[in-house]
Amino acid sequence: MADAAVTATDWIWGITYSVLASIIGGASKLAIRKSWIIHGKLQPSGCSSVVLPPDLDIADSESRELSTIEIMESAFSTEDDGSPKLCRISKAKAVSWFLYFCGMIGMSFLNPLCCVLAMQYANPSILAPFSGLTLVWVILFSGVVVGEHPQQSQKVACALIVFGEVLVALFGDHTNASNMDVDDVIASYLDPAFITFMIAMCSFITVLHLIIKRFPKTSLLKKMAWGSVGGAITGFQNYLKDSLTIFQATRRDGGPLPALFYLFFILAMTTGFAGLLCLSACMKRYDATYASAMFVVSFVITASSMSAVHYHTFADIGGERAIVMYLLGLCILIYGATILVKPKAAACLPDKGSDHSQISDGSKEETLLETAERRC
């Protein structure tokens, strides 16, 4: 269907698969966040690094958080129906792991599968804006599923992010590299501009890693780093695209697949899975709305920057008006991200001289931070 016109039936099927991919993506992210919340409630008091929903009732939260002594006593105590309390804890752990693996399978396999199927029925320019629906599902159901109700500022930020993503998708480069051969792909990686970009991106990801490791939990830079690192790594879509280009060129010209195809394919899988692990770690520490939105922002910005350097996006967009709208979409994405980070939250934190000024790895201190941010 590469050169065929998109019929009404094909368009409907393409949209259906794309919407299904967004639903799977939203459900998978909520499942991962829910698994971390269940895991955090089962940890001994003060030993969990999972941030629980800040709007939970304090008494209810304390009643569900088990102390070390309670965990030891649970092996010998029973419920009202005579079943051991330890069985209830084991079941909760099983549910936590089940939700986690379901979320990981959805994000790493089912969501990409639906996206590939959608591409067979419709043009990417039609399908790309629907990826922003993932944020819509997260906002609509995060309160019901994980008990985290997005604030008004988060809703506004996500609306700006979705709008910016639509502009980027509509006015971006919709061409492809189907006419390239293996030599052209190799030459594109020897381009000095692309080598400079790769060095800059690796340095940027390294800086994010250092911020995560060395900055205190109260730092807004650390919050930004956790939200951005997953999308920045996943944004290296050139490996997947170029591996498919090599596959098509080899099938067109005949002969065995070169070793470069397998290298790019492995790199595509590695970057995708590493980004997914970073997203999961971010959801362990922050609410689903923030983690999902920042992942989308960093992913789109990284992929767009890579395309501009590697595939010469601006040369193929066509027209100054399209370039202006494309850049406007990226600016709106960045502005939505700044709203999510919420720099004014630092004013609501305890003074440096207070007992809680030094935030440790405990879940209660993390919850204090999140509660202070919400009250702003």
Side-chain angles (χ1 to χ4, degrees):
M1 295 184 60
D3 299 322
V6 178
T7 64
T9 304
D10 292 338
W11 186 86
I12 292 175
W13 275 109
I15 295 299
T16 300
Y17 279 119
S18 187
V19 172
L20 180 60
S22 71
I23 294 175
I24 294 174
S28 299
K29 292 175 181 178
L30 289 175
I32 293 173
R33 174 59 180 160
K34 183 67 174 181
S35 69
W36 282 123
I37 291 176
I38 296 175
H39 176 77
K41 292 176 182 177
L42 293 176
Q43 297 303 303
S45 178
C47 297
S48 174
S49 60
V50 180
V51 178
L52 301 178
D55 55 349
L56 281 177
D57 181 78
I58 295 178
D60 180 65
S61 177
E62 290 180 351
S63 66
R64 298 185 199 180
E65 191 177 64
L66 302 175
S67 67
T68 306
I69 297 177
E70 288 176 326
I71 292 178
M72 295 296 295
E73 291 178 346
S74 63
F76 306 99
S77 60
T78 59
E79 300 283 4
D80 294 336
D81 58 358
S83 60
K85 188 180 295 185
L86 187 59
C87 293
R88 177 174 61 86
I89 300 175
S90 300
K91 290 179 181 178
K93 288 183 178 180
V95 171
S96 175
W97 280 108
F98 175 76
L99 290 173
Y100 182 80
F101 283 117
C102 285
M104 296 293 282
I105 292 174
M107 287 296 298
S108 61
F109 177 71
L110 296 180
N111 178 273
L113 176 62
C114 290
C115 291
V116 171
L117 292 175
M119 292 292 180
Q120 297 180 358
Y121 292 98
N123 192 283
S125 62
I126 300 176
L127 302 176
F130 286 88
S131 62
L133 283 176
T134 300
L135 285 179
V136 177
W137 307 131
V138 171
I139 291 176
L140 289 178
F141 297 102
S142 60
V144 177
V145 177
V146 298
E148 296 172 341
H149 301 277
Q151 304 172 56
Q152 188 65 29
S153 61
Q154 288 182 311
K155 295 178 182 179
V156 173
C158 290
L160 290 174
I161 290 171
V162 172
F163 179 63
E165 187 182 23
V166 170
L167 292 180
V168 170
L170 291 178
F171 294 97
D173 178 21
H174 298 149
T175 61
N176 57 60
S178 58
N179 295 326
M180 295 178 62
D181 55 23
V182 178
D183 293 333
D184 294 332
V185 173
I186 295 176
S188 67
Y189 279 82
L190 299 178
D191 184 8
F194 181 71
I195 294 176
T196 303
F197 169 78
M198 293 296 291
I199 294 175
M201 281 304 304
C202 291
S203 301
F204 175 70
I205 294 174
T206 302
V207 170
L208 293 180
H209 176 74
L210 292 176
I211 292 175
I212 289 173
K213 289 295 185 181
R214 298 183 181 275
F215 277 56
K217 294 183 182 297
T218 53
S219 172
L220 293 172
L221 280 177
K222 183 163 189 169
K223 183 177 181 180
M224 180 276 296
W226 268 120
S228 304
V229 65
I233 296 175
T234 311
F236 289 103
Q237 294 292 291
N238 53 294
Y239 297 124
L240 176 61
K241 181 177 178 62
D242 291 337
S243 64
L244 294 176
T245 300
I246 293 174
F247 178 81
Q248 294 173 358
T250 304
R251 187 176 61 177
R252 181 176 62 248
D253 300 336
L257 288 171
L260 190 62
F261 166 79
Y262 299 101
L263 175 62
F264 282 172
F265 188 74
I266 292 174
L267 288 173
M269 294 178 60
T270 301
T271 54
F273 193 70
L276 179 58
L277 291 178
C278 291
L279 172 63
S280 174
C282 180
M283 285 188 168
K284 180 180 179 180
R285 293 159 175 83
Y286 303 101
D287 61 88
T289 302
Y290 172 80
S292 302
M294 288 297 294
F295 181 87
V296 169
V297 170
S298 58
F299 170 78
V300 172
I301 292 177
T302 302
S304 300
S305 302
M306 179 274 299
S307 298
V309 176
H310 191 51
Y311 302 114
H312 309 290
T313 298
F314 293 109
D316 296 323
I317 286 180
E320 295 181 357
R321 176 176 172 271
I323 295 177
V324 171
M325 296 302 294
Y326 180 83
L327 294 176
L328 178 62
L330 291 178
C331 291
I332 293 175
L333 278 170
I334 296 174
Y335 180 65
T338 60
I339 295 178
L340 281 176
V341 177
K342 298 185 327 187
K344 66 178 181 178
C348 298
L349 294 174
D351 295 332
K352 291 184 177 180
S354 65
D355 295 337
H356 299 287
S357 60
Q358 299 296 327
I359 304 267
S360 64
D361 289 334
S363 60
K364 289 185 178 179
E365 288 80 2
E366 284 277 359
T367 305
L368 173 64
L369 172 61
E370 294 293 321
T371 305
E373 291 179 348
R374 292 181 66 88
R375 288 178 181 174
C376 291

